[in-house]
Amino acid sequence: MRKRSRLHSNTLGYVFIAPGMLTLIVFIGIPMFAGITSAFQRIYLETGRDSLFIGLQNFGVLLQDEVFFTSVKNSVIFVFVSVGYHIVIGFILALMLDRD
């Protein structure tokens, strides 16, 4: 009798977690897989031709592009400024709220 109730509780747990897992797979897993596979293909959007597997050629082209490195530099600067700003503002607000 004890094994049956434990099996029932495990099944109930799986039932409760299934909608969340399904949502993660549909909205994160499938697009992530599609993005990774399309990174290794040449996709013809204008003509509608089939995709062509080209391996790492897309990444080679990316590393030769000046605009890519400029955008990476801008992103890094934005992250450091934004995180630093939020840390300073959060610290100031914490000090203001902590007054006794």
Side-chain angles (χ1 to χ4, degrees), residues 59-77:
F59 297 101
V61 170
L62 184 67
L63 292 175
Q64 294 174 355
D65 190 8
E66 263 185 51
V67 176
F68 170 71
F69 289 109
T70 302
S71 65
V72 168
K73 181 186 78 167
N74 290 341
S75 296
V76 169
I77 290 171

Side-chain angles (χ1 to χ4, degrees), residues 16-54:
F16 284 145
I17 202 163
M21 292 303 295
L22 184 64
T23 303
L24 282 175
I25 290 170
V26 168
F27 291 109
I28 293 176
I30 294 172
M32 186 183 301
F33 179 75
I36 290 170
T37 56
S38 68
F40 297 101
Q41 297 176 352
R42 174 171 288 140
I43 300 173
Y44 300 99
L45 295 176
E46 305 88 24
T47 60
R49 290 178 32 197
D50 288 339
S51 301
L52 177 67
F53 179 78
I54 58 171

